[in-house]
PDB file of all heavy atoms in Angstrom:
ATOM      1  N   LEU L   1      36.638 111.376 -71.086  1.00 93.00           N
ATOM      2  CA  LEU L   1      36.360 112.643 -70.415  1.00 93.00           C
ATOM      3  C   LEU L   1      36.597 113.761 -71.409  1.00 93.00           C
ATOM      4  O   LEU L   1      37.719 113.970 -71.868  1.00 93.00           O
ATOM      5  CB  LEU L   1      37.283 112.804 -69.191  1.00 93.00           C
ATOM      6  CG  LEU L   1      37.159 114.093 -68.400  1.00 93.00           C
ATOM      7  CD1 LEU L   1      35.888 114.089 -67.552  1.00 93.00           C
ATOM      8  CD2 LEU L   1      38.387 114.275 -67.501  1.00 93.00           C
ATOM      9  N   GLY L   2      35.536 114.484 -71.749  1.00 88.00           N
ATOM     10  CA  GLY L   2      35.670 115.576 -72.699  1.00 88.00           C
ATOM     11  C   GLY L   2      36.197 116.842 -72.049  1.00 88.00           C
ATOM     12  O   GLY L   2      36.282 116.955 -70.827  1.00 88.00           O
ATOM     13  N   ALA L   3      36.546 117.816 -72.882  1.00 86.00           N
ATOM     14  CA  ALA L   3      37.085 119.080 -72.374  1.00 86.00           C
ATOM     15  C   ALA L   3      36.074 119.791 -71.482  1.00 86.00           C
ATOM     16  O   ALA L   3      36.426 120.334 -70.433  1.00 86.00           O
ATOM     17  CB  ALA L   3      37.490 119.980 -73.544  1.00 86.00           C
ATOM     18  N   VAL L   4      34.804 119.774 -71.891  1.00 87.00           N
ATOM     19  CA  VAL L   4      33.760 120.408 -71.072  1.00 87.00           C
ATOM     20  C   VAL L   4      33.610 119.675 -69.752  1.00 87.00           C
ATOM     21  O   VAL L   4      33.456 120.283 -68.688  1.00 87.00           O
ATOM     22  CB  VAL L   4      32.422 120.434 -71.837  1.00 87.00           C
ATOM     23  CG1 VAL L   4      31.301 120.954 -70.943  1.00 87.00           C
ATOM     24  CG2 VAL L   4      32.550 121.294 -73.095  1.00 87.00           C
ATOM     25  N   ASP L   5      33.671 118.331 -69.789  1.00 84.00           N
ATOM     26  CA  ASP L   5      33.567 117.534 -68.568  1.00 84.00           C
ATOM     27  C   ASP L   5      34.737 117.816 -67.628  1.00 84.00           C
ATOM     28  O   ASP L   5      34.579 117.797 -66.401  1.00 84.00           O
ATOM     29  CB  ASP L   5      33.519 116.042 -68.908  1.00 84.00           C
ATOM     30  CG  ASP L   5      32.267 115.661 -69.682  1.00 84.00           C
ATOM     31  OD1 ASP L   5      31.190 116.180 -69.325  1.00 84.00           O
ATOM     32  OD2 ASP L   5      32.377 114.885 -70.648  1.00 84.00           O
ATOM     33  N   LEU L   6      35.926 118.071 -68.207  1.00 85.00           N
ATOM     34  CA  LEU L   6      37.085 118.391 -67.380  1.00 85.00           C
ATOM     35  C   LEU L   6      36.871 119.710 -66.637  1.00 85.00           C
ATOM     36  O   LEU L   6      37.204 119.834 -65.459  1.00 85.00           O
ATOM     37  CB  LEU L   6      38.350 118.476 -68.242  1.00 85.00           C
ATOM     38  CG  LEU L   6      39.631 118.892 -67.500  1.00 85.00           C
ATOM     39  CD1 LEU L   6      39.966 117.875 -66.406  1.00 85.00           C
ATOM     40  CD2 LEU L   6      40.798 119.022 -68.477  1.00 85.00           C
ATOM     41  N   LEU L   7      36.306 120.690 -67.317  1.00 86.00           N
ATOM     42  CA  LEU L   7      36.017 121.967 -66.666  1.00 86.00           C
ATOM     43  C   LEU L   7      35.004 121.779 -65.538  1.00 86.00           C
ATOM     44  O   LEU L   7      35.135 122.387 -64.464  1.00 86.00           O
ATOM     45  CB  LEU L   7      35.500 122.976 -67.694  1.00 86.00           C
ATOM     46  CG  LEU L   7      36.509 123.428 -68.761  1.00 86.00           C
ATOM     47  CD1 LEU L   7      35.822 124.338 -69.776  1.00 86.00           C
ATOM     48  CD2 LEU L   7      37.701 124.146 -68.124  1.00 86.00           C
ATOM     49  N   LYS L   8      34.002 120.932 -65.767  1.00 86.00           N
ATOM     50  CA  LYS L   8      33.035 120.639 -64.717  1.00 86.00           C
ATOM     51  C   LYS L   8      33.711 119.954 -63.538  1.00 86.00           C
ATOM     52  O   LYS L   8      33.401 120.234 -62.377  1.00 86.00           O
ATOM     53  CB  LYS L   8      31.918 119.750 -65.275  1.00 86.00           C
ATOM     54  CG  LYS L   8      30.997 120.462 -66.261  1.00 86.00           C
ATOM     55  CD  LYS L   8      29.916 119.510 -66.751  1.00 86.00           C
ATOM     56  CE  LYS L   8      28.972 120.194 -67.745  1.00 86.00           C
ATOM     57  NZ  LYS L   8      27.924 119.264 -68.251  1.00 86.00           N
ATOM     58  N   LEU L   9      34.641 119.041 -63.847  1.00 87.00           N
ATOM     59  CA  LEU L   9      35.376 118.343 -62.790  1.00 87.00           C
ATOM     60  C   LEU L   9      36.100 119.346 -61.900  1.00 87.00           C
ATOM     61  O   LEU L   9      36.028 119.280 -60.663  1.00 87.00           O
ATOM     62  CB  LEU L   9      36.356 117.350 -63.406  1.00 87.00           C
ATOM     63  CG  LEU L   9      37.213 116.474 -62.487  1.00 87.00           C
ATOM     64  CD1 LEU L   9      37.707 115.241 -63.256  1.00 87.00           C
ATOM     65  CD2 LEU L   9      38.436 117.204 -61.922  1.00 87.00           C
ATOM     66  N   LEU L  10      36.800 120.278 -62.518  1.00 87.00           N
ATOM     67  CA  LEU L  10      37.579 121.250 -61.749  1.00 87.00           C
ATOM     68  C   LEU L  10      36.684 122.095 -60.846  1.00 87.00           C
ATOM     69  O   LEU L  10      37.080 122.485 -59.739  1.00 87.00           O
ATOM     70  CB  LEU L  10      38.369 122.151 -62.701  1.00 87.00           C
ATOM     71  CG  LEU L  10      39.454 121.451 -63.536  1.00 87.00           C
ATOM     72  CD1 LEU L  10      40.071 122.421 -64.530  1.00 87.00           C
ATOM     73  CD2 LEU L  10      40.527 120.853 -62.628  1.00 87.00           C
ATOM     74  N   SER L  11      35.459 122.347 -61.298  1.00 87.00           N
ATOM     75  CA  SER L  11      34.548 123.167 -60.497  1.00 87.00           C
ATOM     76  C   SER L  11      33.986 122.416 -59.303  1.00 87.00           C
ATOM     77  O   SER L  11      33.416 123.029 -58.390  1.00 87.00           O
ATOM     78  CB  SER L  11      33.394 123.670 -61.375  1.00 87.00           C
ATOM     79  OG  SER L  11      32.538 122.600 -61.752  1.00 87.00           O
ATOM     80  N   THR L  12      34.140 121.079 -59.286  1.00 88.00           N
ATOM     81  CA  THR L  12      33.588 120.282 -58.181  1.00 88.00           C
ATOM     82  C   THR L  12      34.623 119.950 -57.114  1.00 88.00           C
ATOM     83  O   THR L  12      34.274 119.323 -56.105  1.00 88.00           O
ATOM     84  CB  THR L  12      33.003 118.965 -58.705  1.00 88.00           C
ATOM     85  OG1 THR L  12      34.061 118.129 -59.228  1.00 88.00           O
ATOM     86  CG2 THR L  12      31.971 119.211 -59.796  1.00 88.00           C
ATOM     87  N   VAL L  13      35.867 120.340 -57.308  1.00 90.00           N
ATOM     88  CA  VAL L  13      36.919 120.001 -56.348  1.00 90.00           C
ATOM     89  C   VAL L  13      36.640 120.690 -55.015  1.00 90.00           C
ATOM     90  O   VAL L  13      36.489 121.911 -54.949  1.00 90.00           O
ATOM     91  CB  VAL L  13      38.304 120.400 -56.873  1.00 90.00           C
ATOM     92  CG1 VAL L  13      39.370 120.172 -55.786  1.00 90.00           C
ATOM     93  CG2 VAL L  13      38.648 119.606 -58.125  1.00 90.00           C
ATOM     94  N   THR L  14      36.544 119.909 -53.944  1.00 88.00           N
ATOM     95  CA  THR L  14      36.352 120.453 -52.603  1.00 88.00           C
ATOM     96  C   THR L  14      37.321 119.798 -51.645  1.00 88.00           C
ATOM     97  O   THR L  14      37.712 118.639 -51.824  1.00 88.00           O
ATOM     98  CB  THR L  14      34.912 120.221 -52.103  1.00 88.00           C
ATOM     99  OG1 THR L  14      34.618 118.810 -52.148  1.00 88.00           O
ATOM    100  CG2 THR L  14      33.902 120.966 -52.951  1.00 88.00           C
ATOM    101  N   VAL L  15      37.715 120.540 -50.642  1.00 87.00           N
ATOM    102  CA  VAL L  15      38.601 120.020 -49.603  1.00 87.00           C
ATOM    103  C   VAL L  15      37.745 119.624 -48.408  1.00 87.00           C
ATOM    104  O   VAL L  15      36.892 120.398 -47.955  1.00 87.00           O
ATOM    105  CB  VAL L  15      39.650 121.062 -49.196  1.00 87.00           C
ATOM    106  CG1 VAL L  15      40.512 120.543 -48.050  1.00 87.00           C
ATOM    107  CG2 VAL L  15      40.517 121.417 -50.396  1.00 87.00           C
ATOM    108  N   THR L  16      37.951 118.420 -47.891  1.00 80.00           N
ATOM    109  CA  THR L  16      37.182 117.928 -46.756  1.00 80.00           C
ATOM    110  C   THR L  16      37.980 118.065 -45.467  1.00 80.00           C
ATOM    111  O   THR L  16      39.203 117.931 -45.462  1.00 80.00           O
ATOM    112  CB  THR L  16      36.788 116.459 -46.960  1.00 80.00           C
ATOM    113  OG1 THR L  16      37.968 115.663 -47.138  1.00 80.00           O
ATOM    114  CG2 THR L  16      35.907 116.308 -48.190  1.00 80.00           C
ATOM    115  N   LYS L  17      37.261 118.339 -44.389  1.00 72.00           N
ATOM    116  CA  LYS L  17      37.838 118.427 -43.039  1.00 72.00           C
ATOM    117  C   LYS L  17      38.896 119.509 -42.923  1.00 72.00           C
ATOM    118  O   LYS L  17      39.824 119.397 -42.124  1.00 72.00           O
ATOM    119  CB  LYS L  17      38.434 117.074 -42.609  1.00 72.00           C
ATOM    120  CG  LYS L  17      37.457 115.918 -42.652  1.00 72.00           C
ATOM    121  CD  LYS L  17      38.135 114.622 -42.272  1.00 72.00           C
ATOM    122  CE  LYS L  17      37.204 113.443 -42.432  1.00 72.00           C
ATOM    123  NZ  LYS L  17      37.870 112.158 -42.136  1.00 72.00           N
ATOM    124  N   ALA L  18      38.793 120.545 -43.726  1.00 71.00           N
ATOM    125  CA  ALA L  18      39.777 121.625 -43.676  1.00 71.00           C
ATOM    126  C   ALA L  18      39.470 122.570 -42.533  1.00 71.00           C
ATOM    127  O   ALA L  18      38.316 122.898 -42.273  1.00 71.00           O
ATOM    128  CB  ALA L  18      39.803 122.384 -44.989  1.00 71.00           C
ATOM    129  N   ASP L  19      40.487 123.019 -41.846  1.00 64.00           N
ATOM    130  CA  ASP L  19      40.334 123.972 -40.759  1.00 64.00           C
ATOM    131  C   ASP L  19      40.842 125.332 -41.229  1.00 64.00           C
ATOM    132  O   ASP L  19      41.955 125.753 -40.918  1.00 64.00           O
ATOM    133  CB  ASP L  19      41.113 123.497 -39.528  1.00 64.00           C
ATOM    134  CG  ASP L  19      40.890 124.417 -38.323  1.00 64.00           C
ATOM    135  OD1 ASP L  19      39.924 125.192 -38.359  1.00 64.00           O
ATOM    136  OD2 ASP L  19      41.687 124.342 -37.370  1.00 64.00           O
ATOM    137  N   GLY L  20      40.034 126.002 -42.025  1.00 64.00           N
ATOM    138  CA  GLY L  20      40.409 127.324 -42.497  1.00 64.00           C
ATOM    139  C   GLY L  20      40.896 127.331 -43.930  1.00 64.00           C
ATOM    140  O   GLY L  20      41.166 126.299 -44.550  1.00 64.00           O
ATOM    141  N   PHE L  21      41.034 128.542 -44.466  1.00 72.00           N
ATOM    142  CA  PHE L  21      41.400 128.731 -45.875  1.00 72.00           C
ATOM    143  C   PHE L  21      42.800 128.213 -46.181  1.00 72.00           C
ATOM    144  O   PHE L  21      43.020 127.574 -47.211  1.00 72.00           O
ATOM    145  CB  PHE L  21      41.307 130.225 -46.216  1.00 72.00           C
ATOM    146  CG  PHE L  21      41.697 130.534 -47.637  1.00 72.00           C
ATOM    147  CD1 PHE L  21      40.850 130.227 -48.693  1.00 72.00           C
ATOM    148  CD2 PHE L  21      42.921 131.129 -47.921  1.00 72.00           C
ATOM    149  CE1 PHE L  21      41.210 130.514 -50.001  1.00 72.00           C
ATOM    150  CE2 PHE L  21      43.285 131.422 -49.222  1.00 72.00           C
ATOM    151  CZ  PHE L  21      42.430 131.110 -50.268  1.00 72.00           C
ATOM    152  N   SER L  22      43.747 128.472 -45.292  1.00 72.00           N
ATOM    153  CA  SER L  22      45.127 128.044 -45.557  1.00 72.00           C
ATOM    154  C   SER L  22      45.236 126.530 -45.646  1.00 72.00           C
ATOM    155  O   SER L  22      46.011 125.996 -46.447  1.00 72.00           O
ATOM    156  CB  SER L  22      46.063 128.568 -44.461  1.00 72.00           C
ATOM    157  OG  SER L  22      45.705 128.039 -43.192  1.00 72.00           O
ATOM    158  N   SER L  23      44.439 125.838 -44.839  1.00 75.00           N
ATOM    159  CA  SER L  23      44.448 124.375 -44.884  1.00 75.00           C
ATOM    160  C   SER L  23      43.930 123.880 -46.225  1.00 75.00           C
ATOM    161  O   SER L  23      44.460 122.910 -46.793  1.00 75.00           O
ATOM    162  CB  SER L  23      43.588 123.820 -43.747  1.00 75.00           C
ATOM    163  OG  SER L  23      43.527 122.413 -43.801  1.00 75.00           O
ATOM    164  N   LYS L  24      42.899 124.546 -46.759  1.00 82.00           N
ATOM    165  CA  LYS L  24      42.369 124.167 -48.068  1.00 82.00           C
ATOM    166  C   LYS L  24      43.415 124.360 -49.157  1.00 82.00           C
ATOM    167  O   LYS L  24      43.601 123.502 -50.025  1.00 82.00           O
ATOM    168  CB  LYS L  24      41.121 124.990 -48.382  1.00 82.00           C
ATOM    169  CG  LYS L  24      39.921 124.676 -47.511  1.00 82.00           C
ATOM    170  CD  LYS L  24      38.712 125.504 -47.949  1.00 82.00           C
ATOM    171  CE  LYS L  24      37.495 125.168 -47.104  1.00 82.00           C
ATOM    172  NZ  LYS L  24      36.293 125.931 -47.498  1.00 82.00           N
ATOM    173  N   VAL L  25      44.103 125.502 -49.095  1.00 87.00           N
ATOM    174  CA  VAL L  25      45.117 125.795 -50.108  1.00 87.00           C
ATOM    175  C   VAL L  25      46.240 124.755 -50.065  1.00 87.00           C
ATOM    176  O   VAL L  25      46.694 124.257 -51.105  1.00 87.00           O
ATOM    177  CB  VAL L  25      45.676 127.213 -49.904  1.00 87.00           C
ATOM    178  CG1 VAL L  25      46.872 127.453 -50.829  1.00 87.00           C
ATOM    179  CG2 VAL L  25      44.596 128.260 -50.163  1.00 87.00           C
ATOM    180  N   LYS L  26      46.696 124.402 -48.871  1.00 87.00           N
ATOM    181  CA  LYS L  26      47.766 123.425 -48.737  1.00 87.00           C
ATOM    182  C   LYS L  26      47.355 122.065 -49.291  1.00 87.00           C
ATOM    183  O   LYS L  26      48.149 121.380 -49.946  1.00 87.00           O
ATOM    184  CB  LYS L  26      48.172 123.290 -47.258  1.00 87.00           C
ATOM    185  CG  LYS L  26      48.918 124.497 -46.704  1.00 87.00           C
ATOM    186  CD  LYS L  26      49.263 124.277 -45.238  1.00 87.00           C
ATOM    187  CE  LYS L  26      50.005 125.487 -44.669  1.00 87.00           C
ATOM    188  NZ  LYS L  26      50.317 125.316 -43.231  1.00 87.00           N
ATOM    189  N   THR L  27      46.112 121.679 -49.040  1.00 89.00           N
ATOM    190  CA  THR L  27      45.638 120.378 -49.512  1.00 89.00           C
ATOM    191  C   THR L  27      45.557 120.336 -51.034  1.00 89.00           C
ATOM    192  O   THR L  27      45.994 119.367 -51.672  1.00 89.00           O
ATOM    193  CB  THR L  27      44.257 120.069 -48.903  1.00 89.00           C
ATOM    194  OG1 THR L  27      44.359 120.089 -47.476  1.00 89.00           O
ATOM    195  CG2 THR L  27      43.761 118.708 -49.352  1.00 89.00           C
ATOM    196  N   ILE L  28      44.995 121.378 -51.624  1.00 91.00           N
ATOM    197  CA  ILE L  28      44.904 121.434 -53.088  1.00 91.00           C
ATOM    198  C   ILE L  28      46.294 121.477 -53.712  1.00 91.00           C
ATOM    199  O   ILE L  28      46.560 120.796 -54.715  1.00 91.00           O
ATOM    200  CB  ILE L  28      44.067 122.652 -53.526  1.00 91.00           C
ATOM    201  CG1 ILE L  28      42.605 122.448 -53.120  1.00 91.00           C
ATOM    202  CG2 ILE L  28      44.168 122.870 -55.031  1.00 91.00           C
ATOM    203  CD1 ILE L  28      41.711 123.627 -53.395  1.00 91.00           C
ATOM    204  N   ASN L  29      47.190 122.247 -53.106  1.00 92.00           N
ATOM    205  CA  ASN L  29      48.564 122.311 -53.621  1.00 92.00           C
ATOM    206  C   ASN L  29      49.254 120.951 -53.531  1.00 92.00           C
ATOM    207  O   ASN L  29      50.018 120.569 -54.427  1.00 92.00           O
ATOM    208  CB  ASN L  29      49.370 123.356 -52.861  1.00 92.00           C
ATOM    209  CG  ASN L  29      48.987 124.776 -53.236  1.00 92.00           C
ATOM    210  OD1 ASN L  29      48.346 124.997 -54.268  1.00 92.00           O
ATOM    211  ND2 ASN L  29      49.372 125.740 -52.420  1.00 92.00           N
ATOM    212  N   ALA L  30      49.002 120.215 -52.439  1.00 92.00           N
ATOM    213  CA  ALA L  30      49.609 118.892 -52.279  1.00 92.00           C
ATOM    214  C   ALA L  30      49.133 117.941 -53.374  1.00 92.00           C
ATOM    215  O   ALA L  30      49.920 117.187 -53.955  1.00 92.00           O
ATOM    216  CB  ALA L  30      49.286 118.328 -50.903  1.00 92.00           C
ATOM    217  N   PHE L  31      47.837 117.993 -53.676  1.00 93.00           N
ATOM    218  CA  PHE L  31      47.291 117.096 -54.700  1.00 93.00           C
ATOM    219  C   PHE L  31      47.777 117.469 -56.095  1.00 93.00           C
ATOM    220  O   PHE L  31      48.234 116.605 -56.860  1.00 93.00           O
ATOM    221  CB  PHE L  31      45.759 117.119 -54.666  1.00 93.00           C
ATOM    222  CG  PHE L  31      45.126 116.226 -55.693  1.00 93.00           C
ATOM    223  CD1 PHE L  31      45.111 114.855 -55.520  1.00 93.00           C
ATOM    224  CD2 PHE L  31      44.561 116.761 -56.843  1.00 93.00           C
ATOM    225  CE1 PHE L  31      44.523 114.020 -56.469  1.00 93.00           C
ATOM    226  CE2 PHE L  31      43.981 115.947 -57.796  1.00 93.00           C
ATOM    227  CZ  PHE L  31      43.966 114.568 -57.606  1.00 93.00           C
ATOM    228  N   THR L  32      47.694 118.750 -56.427  1.00 92.00           N
ATOM    229  CA  THR L  32      48.123 119.168 -57.766  1.00 92.00           C
ATOM    230  C   THR L  32      49.623 118.957 -57.951  1.00 92.00           C
ATOM    231  O   THR L  32      50.076 118.604 -59.044  1.00 92.00           O
ATOM    232  CB  THR L  32      47.770 120.642 -58.010  1.00 92.00           C
ATOM    233  OG1 THR L  32      48.317 121.462 -56.966  1.00 92.00           O
ATOM    234  CG2 THR L  32      46.267 120.836 -58.036  1.00 92.00           C
ATOM    235  N   GLY L  33      50.389 119.158 -56.880  1.00 93.00           N
ATOM    236  CA  GLY L  33      51.831 118.913 -56.961  1.00 93.00           C
ATOM    237  C   GLY L  33      52.133 117.448 -57.213  1.00 93.00           C
ATOM    238  O   GLY L  33      52.986 117.107 -58.054  1.00 93.00           O
ATOM    239  N   PHE L  34      51.432 116.558 -56.481  1.00 93.00           N
ATOM    240  CA  PHE L  34      51.603 115.119 -56.691  1.00 93.00           C
ATOM    241  C   PHE L  34      51.226 114.736 -58.116  1.00 93.00           C
ATOM    242  O   PHE L  34      51.960 113.994 -58.796  1.00 93.00           O
ATOM    243  CB  PHE L  34      50.742 114.352 -55.690  1.00 93.00           C
ATOM    244  CG  PHE L  34      50.515 112.914 -56.053  1.00 93.00           C
ATOM    245  CD1 PHE L  34      51.521 111.975 -55.904  1.00 93.00           C
ATOM    246  CD2 PHE L  34      49.292 112.498 -56.558  1.00 93.00           C
ATOM    247  CE1 PHE L  34      51.316 110.640 -56.251  1.00 93.00           C
ATOM    248  CE2 PHE L  34      49.072 111.171 -56.903  1.00 93.00           C
ATOM    249  CZ  PHE L  34      50.083 110.253 -56.745  1.00 93.00           C
ATOM    250  N   PHE L  35      50.082 115.228 -58.598  1.00 92.00           N
ATOM    251  CA  PHE L  35      49.610 114.892 -59.935  1.00 92.00           C
ATOM    252  C   PHE L  35      50.603 115.371 -60.997  1.00 92.00           C
ATOM    253  O   PHE L  35      50.943 114.638 -61.931  1.00 92.00           O
ATOM    254  CB  PHE L  35      48.234 115.544 -60.164  1.00 92.00           C
ATOM    255  CG  PHE L  35      47.478 114.979 -61.323  1.00 92.00           C
ATOM    256  CD1 PHE L  35      46.691 113.852 -61.179  1.00 92.00           C
ATOM    257  CD2 PHE L  35      47.547 115.567 -62.576  1.00 92.00           C
ATOM    258  CE1 PHE L  35      45.988 113.319 -62.249  1.00 92.00           C
ATOM    259  CE2 PHE L  35      46.847 115.046 -63.659  1.00 92.00           C
ATOM    260  CZ  PHE L  35      46.061 113.912 -63.490  1.00 92.00           C
ATOM    261  N   ALA L  36      51.097 116.592 -60.826  1.00 92.00           N
ATOM    262  CA  ALA L  36      52.032 117.156 -61.809  1.00 92.00           C
ATOM    263  C   ALA L  36      53.347 116.382 -61.826  1.00 92.00           C
ATOM    264  O   ALA L  36      53.930 116.141 -62.894  1.00 92.00           O
ATOM    265  CB  ALA L  36      52.291 118.629 -61.492  1.00 92.00           C
ATOM    266  N   ARG L  37      53.812 115.959 -60.651  1.00 92.00           N
ATOM    267  CA  ARG L  37      55.074 115.196 -60.593  1.00 92.00           C
ATOM    268  C   ARG L  37      54.938 113.861 -61.309  1.00 92.00           C
ATOM    269  O   ARG L  37      55.864 113.415 -62.000  1.00 92.00           O
ATOM    270  CB  ARG L  37      55.491 114.976 -59.136  1.00 92.00           C
ATOM    271  CG  ARG L  37      55.999 116.220 -58.437  1.00 92.00           C
ATOM    272  CD  ARG L  37      56.680 115.879 -57.113  1.00 92.00           C
ATOM    273  NE  ARG L  37      55.778 115.219 -56.177  1.00 92.00           N
ATOM    274  CZ  ARG L  37      54.973 115.850 -55.329  1.00 92.00           C
ATOM    275  NH1 ARG L  37      54.951 117.192 -55.318  1.00 92.00           N
ATOM    276  NH2 ARG L  37      54.200 115.189 -54.498  1.00 92.00           N
ATOM    277  N   GLN L  38      53.779 113.231 -61.145  1.00 92.00           N
ATOM    278  CA  GLN L  38      53.573 111.946 -61.809  1.00 92.00           C
ATOM    279  C   GLN L  38      53.535 112.110 -63.334  1.00 92.00           C
ATOM    280  O   GLN L  38      54.117 111.311 -64.076  1.00 92.00           O
ATOM    281  CB  GLN L  38      52.268 111.317 -61.314  1.00 92.00           C
ATOM    282  CG  GLN L  38      52.261 110.958 -59.841  1.00 92.00           C
ATOM    283  CD  GLN L  38      53.295 109.898 -59.499  1.00 92.00           C
ATOM    284  OE1 GLN L  38      53.474 108.918 -60.202  1.00 92.00           O
ATOM    285  NE2 GLN L  38      54.008 110.117 -58.402  1.00 92.00           N
ATOM    286  N   LEU L  39      52.864 113.161 -63.799  1.00 90.00           N
ATOM    287  CA  LEU L  39      52.818 113.405 -65.238  1.00 90.00           C
ATOM    288  C   LEU L  39      54.190 113.765 -65.783  1.00 90.00           C
ATOM    289  O   LEU L  39      54.576 113.334 -66.879  1.00 90.00           O
ATOM    290  CB  LEU L  39      51.822 114.524 -65.543  1.00 90.00           C
ATOM    291  CG  LEU L  39      50.337 114.224 -65.259  1.00 90.00           C
ATOM    292  CD1 LEU L  39      49.484 115.429 -65.619  1.00 90.00           C
ATOM    293  CD2 LEU L  39      49.868 112.996 -66.030  1.00 90.00           C
ATOM    294  N   TRP L  40      54.934 114.557 -65.045  1.00 90.00           N
ATOM    295  CA  TRP L  40      56.281 114.939 -65.470  1.00 90.00           C
ATOM    296  C   TRP L  40      57.168 113.701 -65.602  1.00 90.00           C
ATOM    297  O   TRP L  40      57.901 113.550 -66.591  1.00 90.00           O
ATOM    298  CB  TRP L  40      56.878 115.927 -64.475  1.00 90.00           C
ATOM    299  CG  TRP L  40      58.272 116.374 -64.827  1.00 90.00           C
ATOM    300  CD1 TRP L  40      59.451 115.785 -64.484  1.00 90.00           C
ATOM    301  CD2 TRP L  40      58.623 117.513 -65.628  1.00 90.00           C
ATOM    302  NE1 TRP L  40      60.521 116.470 -64.993  1.00 90.00           N
ATOM    303  CE2 TRP L  40      60.045 117.538 -65.703  1.00 90.00           C
ATOM    304  CE3 TRP L  40      57.903 118.503 -66.272  1.00 90.00           C
ATOM    305  CZ2 TRP L  40      60.742 118.517 -66.405  1.00 90.00           C
ATOM    306  CZ3 TRP L  40      58.592 119.485 -66.969  1.00 90.00           C
ATOM    307  CH2 TRP L  40      59.989 119.487 -67.034  1.00 90.00           C
ATOM    308  N   ALA L  41      57.084 112.806 -64.592  1.00 88.00           N
ATOM    309  CA  ALA L  41      57.910 111.596 -64.628  1.00 88.00           C
ATOM    310  C   ALA L  41      57.516 110.690 -65.788  1.00 88.00           C
ATOM    311  O   ALA L  41      58.364 109.994 -66.371  1.00 88.00           O
ATOM    312  CB  ALA L  41      57.777 110.838 -63.307  1.00 88.00           C
ATOM    313  N   THR L  42      56.241 110.694 -66.146  1.00 87.00           N
ATOM    314  CA  THR L  42      55.755 109.794 -67.193  1.00 87.00           C
ATOM    315  C   THR L  42      56.024 110.324 -68.594  1.00 87.00           C
ATOM    316  O   THR L  42      56.456 109.580 -69.485  1.00 87.00           O
ATOM    317  CB  THR L  42      54.236 109.562 -67.035  1.00 87.00           C
ATOM    318  OG1 THR L  42      53.980 109.023 -65.734  1.00 87.00           O
ATOM    319  CG2 THR L  42      53.717 108.593 -68.101  1.00 87.00           C
ATOM    320  N   TYR L  43      55.815 111.624 -68.810  1.00 88.00           N
ATOM    321  CA  TYR L  43      55.834 112.143 -70.177  1.00 88.00           C
ATOM    322  C   TYR L  43      57.000 113.077 -70.499  1.00 88.00           C
ATOM    323  O   TYR L  43      57.212 113.388 -71.673  1.00 88.00           O
ATOM    324  CB  TYR L  43      54.521 112.891 -70.456  1.00 88.00           C
ATOM    325  CG  TYR L  43      53.307 112.004 -70.412  1.00 88.00           C
ATOM    326  CD1 TYR L  43      52.391 112.098 -69.369  1.00 88.00           C
ATOM    327  CD2 TYR L  43      53.071 111.065 -71.408  1.00 88.00           C
ATOM    328  CE1 TYR L  43      51.262 111.285 -69.322  1.00 88.00           C
ATOM    329  CE2 TYR L  43      51.950 110.245 -71.372  1.00 88.00           C
ATOM    330  CZ  TYR L  43      51.057 110.357 -70.325  1.00 88.00           C
ATOM    331  OH  TYR L  43      49.962 109.546 -70.285  1.00 88.00           O
TER     332      TYR L  43
END
């Protein structure tokens, strides 16, 4: 995955079945928080 492809990936992130803006924010925060914790624990 190249740097340009990573930027494209980030632009495609969508939240499914969200009921309003706050629900979308919570879902994205939950995913990024999980991902960051895993990277922190690993590296």
Side-chain angles (χ1 to χ4, degrees):
L1 178 75
V4 174
D5 295 319
L6 176 61
L7 293 175
K8 290 181 180 179
L9 182 159
L10 295 175
S11 69
T12 66
V13 174
T14 56
V15 176
T16 58
K17 304 178 185 177
D19 184 17
F21 179 74
S22 62
S23 177
K24 292 183 179 181
V25 172
K26 289 179 180 178
T27 302
I28 292 175
N29 286 343
F31 180 75
T32 54
F34 163 75
F35 196 85
R37 288 193 299 273
Q38 296 297 317
L39 294 180
W40 180 272
T42 302
Y43 296 109

